Amino acid sequence: MARLCFDYGHGGEDSGACYKGRKESNDVLSIGKAVAAEVRRHGVTVDETRISDATVSLQARSNFENRNTYDYFISFHRNAFQPEQAKGVETYTYLNGGSKSKGLAEKIQAGLVALGFVNRGVKETNFHVLRETKAPAVLVEIGFIDNSEDNNLFDNKRNEIIRGVAKAILENIGIDYTEASASTQSENRQTLYRVMAGSYSVRENAENQVQKLKAAGFDATIMIFNK
């Protein structure tokens, strides 16, 4: 079965690019782990260079990859330039990268562009994690963190991004993507716990309590129960 190495850029003391309180290190850790979970659901082994907000050097990342044999090394990042001046996605391979890395990069790029990101193309570069890793390697910049439009796409189309990148990876290793079953989707739903702040026999008293809660910043409403 295929084995992949996922690398989530930056982390710990290195936040990467930041904009309006948003950190690249947090964004890529969150989205990357979600893609890993989606790929694992198809029976693929995914190892990760970090699984928390930890500082990991570039050398430690490539050393981690070099300790095992992987089908692909995939590094997740977000871009930055000048606030609100640049946008879009771009995917990198090493200089004169082979057909495997180029093919995966093109599939990932196409999947993200289909979601509305500006197409900045597949490019070649001399990044450490592309140069010093043994497996075919790609690095994807999922939009600009200092661009509000890209951030809206990143947030509002999060699930589509996860599926799109997962589909591209699975296609490149010869595995058909299947949607999660209803039971799996149910397990992934967020559980919320509602708190009752009292019961009143007089509606006016209930309405007064609702107003107090709303004034304090709580989501409050009246629910009617018949004894």
Side-chain angles (χ1 to χ4, degrees):
M1 182 56 71
R3 187 173 189 180
L4 309 173
C5 183
F6 277 17
D7 173 56
Y8 314 132
H10 310 284
E13 297 176 355
D14 174 16
S15 298
C18 299
Y19 187 58
K20 294 183 177 180
R22 188 171 193 139
K23 297 180 181 180
E24 178 184 4
S25 57
N26 292 339
D27 276 3
V28 297
L29 178 65
S30 174
I31 202 82
K33 288 178 71 175
V35 174
E38 189 72 351
V39 173
R40 288 183 180 123
R41 188 170 61 78
H42 291 77
V44 178
T45 298
V46 181
D47 295 336
E48 299 153 295
T49 57
R50 69 180 178 99
I51 57 173
S52 63
D53 188 21
T55 303
V56 184
S57 69
L58 292 176
Q59 190 64 55
R61 295 169 192 269
S62 57
N63 286 346
F64 180 93
E65 191 275 346
N66 287 327
R67 284 196 289 269
N68 290 293
T69 299
Y70 294 101
D71 293 275
Y72 288 96
F73 173 89
I74 303 161
S75 188
F76 294 78
H77 286 258
R78 297 206 64 202
N79 227 328
F81 179 57
Q82 294 178 358
E84 310 298 342
Q85 296 301 305
K87 59 184 177 180
V89 294
E90 51 195 22
T91 309
Y92 289 91
T93 67
Y94 183 54
L95 307 175
N96 298 315
S99 59
K100 286 187 175 181
S101 57
K102 188 70 175 294
L104 177 58
E106 289 173 345
K107 287 182 177 67
I108 291 175
Q109 183 73 13
L112 293 173
V113 169
L115 299 177
F117 286 102
V118 169
N119 187 0
R120 297 176 63 89
V122 173
K123 303 177 180 180
E124 297 180 352
T125 191
N126 192 28
F127 290 149
H128 175 98
V129 294
L130 299 179
R131 181 183 68 247
E132 301 298 330
T133 46
K134 296 185 301 182
V138 303
L139 184 150
V140 56
E141 299 271 11
I142 310 176
F144 281 71
I145 200 168
D146 56 1
N147 183 279
S148 297
E149 290 183 33
D150 276 3
N151 285 336
N152 287 336
L153 281 171
F154 189 91
D155 294 336
N156 297 331
K157 295 198 173 182
R158 172 184 168 83
N159 291 336
E160 290 91 332
I161 291 170
I162 294 165
R163 285 196 297 269
V165 176
K167 284 180 179 180
I169 294 169
L170 292 168
E171 181 181 349
N172 232 53
I173 56 179
I175 297 176
D176 292 332
Y177 177 85
T178 58
E179 295 289 345
S181 64
S183 59
T184 302
Q185 292 173 354
S186 178
E187 290 173 2
N188 292 334
R189 286 181 186 146
Q190 184 180 13
T191 300
L192 300 176
Y193 301 91
R194 294 192 178 275
V195 177
M196 294 184 64
S199 298
Y200 305 87
S201 59
V202 178
R203 185 178 180 89
E204 182 180 358
N205 292 338
E207 291 174 346
N208 289 338
Q209 180 68 357
V210 165
Q211 293 307 314
K212 289 178 183 178
L213 290 168
K214 287 184 176 180
F218 296 98
D219 180 15
T221 188
I222 294 175
M223 300 179 70
I224 299 173
F225 297 92
N226 294 313
K227 298 178 77 173

